[in-house]
Amino acid sequence: MKMEDMPLSGPDNTKLEALVHDIYSELVEDACLGLCFEVHRAVKQGYFFLDETDQESMKEFEIVDQPGVDIFGQVYNQWKNKECECPNCKRLIAASRFAPHLEKCLGMGRNSSRIANRRLASNNNMSKSESDQEDNDDLNDNDWSYGAEKKAKKRKSDKNQNSPRRSKSLKHKNGELGSSITSEPYKYNYNTGISYETLGPDEVRSLLTTQCGVISEHTKKMCTRPSLPDADAVVESDSFDIPDGQTLMSRLQWEDSPDISPTDSASSKASTNHSDSRKPKKKKRTSLGLNSVGVVGVGGGSLTGGSSSSAQSNISLSTKKKRPKLSAPSISSIYDDLN
Amino acid sequence: MSKEFRMRATVNQKLTEMGERERLKELLRVKLTECGWKDQMKAHCKEVIKEKGLEHVTVEDLVVEITPKGRALVPDSVKKELLQRIRAFLAQHAT
């Protein structure tokens, strides 16, 4: 039903407002009346004053309204300023700091063992690096300190034999690099005590051709990221004048390479994928790896032997990573960059 | 004048027919309980009853004592919200 004769302007608006207020008053009165009926019934039925029958308990549980105290009369920070004596070190510790102090003091918390390990490691580093200072002048100029790492890393490898991370990374790496890691005379992973001084040149070479080998200053761990085939070639010499792929292939072949079983089809596929990558002058491992593979693939057709497998393994690994898209230069231009 | 009278009658009729009146009543009840109005009023009732005597208090006594105070004690927020809803209803269905 429509109200055509009710415009909303001028005096009618006030009428409308009056109507609204009237409706509102009606509603409020209705609520009051409802309350009255409710109370009256409670009075007549006798349950209105039921909660006021026991005067004693009423006084006992009366609401407290004092400052510094809650409505039950209890003090809020009563135990804040109290001190407790630690059963271990017999010191007086504040109550709020008692639990964390116990954790550290008894050596049972999550962080306390970590802190202790770190402290021990740094102590060893201090003592070790001081003794090796004369020998490792050059090395100490870099960020790494070789001498101390061995001991620090060894300790860490002892400690974390069963950590889930270690086994996971080993499994992951073993799948890709095959038996290369396990066949090495020394076990190395992200936890090993590796020292480059103790390894011979052959061992260092084989180590660095398969893995990254960068030792972090902070964690003293060696990076075990699988490296790329000609990384070692770059390490050995900054430039090599190889006019064709055959010589390059023969150069790569002396590398220690794992016995992996990627197929030739995989290698050719990988090489075609990477034939368009360019080789930068600096020692960038990923792009270098790509380039060498591309070169070998183009120049030498299908690769055989250990070098190919290492190249393939590295290719397959690097395909999984993200790379910047490079243009496709000719082979001669690649060599120009190298020279 | 009769126009206005008819208009009011129609509006009231519509309110009831569409169930809006019941909804508004319920809303008001809930809001008043939430804001503590009901407890305040009950305390006042207790005083009145103690004054008049438990045996002889009548509904009329209570109504006379309670209603003016009740009207005055409704919080502004509740009042504004209700007025808003009524106005909205009128705007939607009255023109």
Side-chain angles (χ1 to χ4, degrees):
Chain A
M1 191 197 287
K2 269 202 170 180
M3 301 290 312
E4 306 92 22
D5 41 36
M6 194 52 215
L8 283 175
S9 60
D12 294 327
N13 212 3
T14 52
K15 282 184 190 164
L16 200 61
E17 272 302 302
L19 175 59
V20 167
H21 278 268
D22 281 346
I23 296 172
Y24 166 77
S25 307
E26 256 185 70
L27 290 170
V28 171
E29 272 184 36
D30 212 63
C32 294
L33 216 71
L35 181 72
C36 290
F37 287 144
E38 200 183 309
V39 169
H40 184 259
R41 185 166 201 275
V43 166
K44 292 303 176 190
Q45 294 286 333
Y47 60 80
F48 190 62
F49 286 109
L50 264 181
D51 54 352
E52 290 177 12
T53 46
D54 190 0
Q55 283 299 322
E56 278 178 18
S57 53
M58 269 187 77
K59 287 223 172 68
E60 198 180 326
F61 298 117
E62 208 168 355
I63 291 177
V64 178
D65 193 13
Q66 299 164 20
V69 155
D70 66 9
I71 63 170
F72 297 117
Q74 295 166 355
V75 187
Y76 156 64
N77 50 1
Q78 190 180 8
W79 312 107
K80 229 189 204 180
N81 304 326
K82 294 224 165 170
E83 289 185 338
C84 326
E85 186 197 343
C86 172
N88 213 28
C89 59
K90 309 291 181 212
R91 283 199 296 170
L92 283 175
I93 313 288
S96 52
R97 299 298 310 160
F98 192 54
H101 164 78
L102 265 188
E103 212 184 8
K104 304 264 180 339
C105 195
L106 294 171
M108 289 199 319
R110 245 198 319 163
N111 286 326
S112 53
S113 59
R114 255 182 247 162
I115 293 173
N117 288 347
R118 212 183 300 151
R119 217 179 295 146
L120 286 171
S122 63
N123 281 344
N124 284 338
N125 282 347
M126 291 302 170
S127 53
K128 241 307 189 163
S129 60
E130 278 162 12
S131 64
D132 287 353
Q133 217 134 53
E134 304 92 28
D135 302 334
N136 300 336
D137 264 349
D138 289 333
L139 300 174
N140 279 344
D141 286 345
N142 301 340
D143 283 343
W144 311 334
S145 60
Y146 290 110
E149 284 154 19
K150 179 184 180 183
K151 209 170 183 189
K153 273 206 232 135
K154 197 150 196 186
R155 284 176 149 273
K156 281 198 180 159
S157 75
D158 290 343
K159 285 233 177 227
N160 299 334
Q161 289 290 341
N162 296 327
S163 75
R165 254 202 196 165
R166 179 186 165 112
S167 48
K168 220 204 303 184
S169 82
L170 273 181
K171 271 189 230 155
H172 177 70
K173 294 213 177 335
N174 276 337
E176 292 176 336
L177 292 178
S179 55
S180 68
I181 295 178
T182 53
S183 62
E184 300 287 7
Y186 41 83
K187 283 203 180 86
Y188 57 89
N189 52 24
Y190 70 103
N191 262 340
T192 52
I194 279 279
S195 167
Y196 287 111
E197 314 155 29
T198 58
L199 304 178
D202 283 335
E203 291 166 342
V204 174
R205 188 190 298 145
S206 59
L207 167 62
L208 290 177
T209 49
T210 50
Q211 316 223 333
C212 174
V214 176
I215 297 178
S216 160
E217 181 198 26
H218 308 290
T219 61
K220 307 286 185 258
K221 291 179 190 167
M222 189 187 74
C223 172
T224 51
R225 196 185 75 173
S227 76
L228 303 150
D230 71 321
D232 181 52
V234 176
V235 168
E236 297 274 315
S237 58
D238 276 341
S239 64
F240 52 100
D241 317 331
I242 299 173
D244 59 75
Q246 286 292 332
T247 322
L248 184 63
M249 204 171 77
S250 61
R251 220 192 134 74
L252 287 172
Q253 263 176 354
W254 57 259
E255 294 169 8
D256 267 357
S257 53
D259 292 328
I260 318 168
S261 60
T263 58
D264 279 350
S265 61
S267 86
S268 52
K269 191 167 66 164
S271 55
T272 49
N273 283 343
H274 305 312
S275 56
D276 56 347
S277 53
R278 186 175 54 197
K279 197 169 202 169
K281 257 199 172 162
K282 298 192 181 154
K283 296 181 188 179
K284 282 195 183 165
R285 302 194 183 250
T286 50
S287 44
L288 286 175
L290 292 176
N291 258 327
S292 71
V293 169
V295 165
V296 171
V298 169
S302 66
L303 302 171
T304 56
S307 65
S308 67
S309 15
S310 74
Q312 289 164 25
S313 68
N314 290 324
I315 296 160
S316 62
L317 289 165
S318 49
T319 49
K320 290 174 191 164
K321 299 175 194 161
K322 281 187 189 166
R323 288 181 308 278
K325 286 192 182 162
L326 306 165
S327 56
S330 60
I331 298 175
S332 52
S333 67
I334 293 171
Y335 291 123
D336 289 340
D337 277 355
L338 288 174
N339 297 340
Chain B
M1 289 305 257
S2 63
K3 248 194 219 172
E4 192 187 332
F5 184 75
R6 259 191 293 134
M7 185 262 292
R8 278 170 168 252
T10 321
V11 167
N12 283 328
Q13 194 181 350
K14 253 203 158 169
L15 262 177
T16 313
E17 276 173 1
M18 296 187 67
E20 188 66 18
R21 180 169 253 129
E22 284 302 317
R23 277 194 288 269
L24 288 170
K25 268 193 206 172
E26 188 59 31
L27 177 71
L28 182 62
R29 226 175 42 79
V30 164
K31 290 229 170 260
L32 288 176
T33 314
E34 270 178 6
C35 71
W37 175 91
K38 195 170 176 187
D39 298 321
Q40 268 180 302
M41 297 310 295
K42 264 198 171 169
H44 186 61
C45 287
K46 278 185 188 168
E47 293 167 20
V48 171
I49 292 165
K50 277 173 186 165
E51 197 185 320
K52 300 271 180 180
L54 195 64
E55 303 283 328
H56 306 310
V57 71
T58 62
V59 180
E60 278 305 317
D61 290 337
L62 283 173
V63 166
V64 162
E65 299 283 338
I66 296 302
T67 309
K69 194 149 190 227
R71 258 194 248 120
L73 278 179
V74 173
D76 273 340
S77 56
V78 176
K79 182 174 181 178
K80 277 190 180 134
E81 187 172 343
L82 264 172
L83 288 175
Q84 189 61 36
R85 275 193 68 148
I86 297 168
R87 260 186 235 120
F89 177 81
L90 284 184
Q92 200 178 358
H93 297 105
T95 45

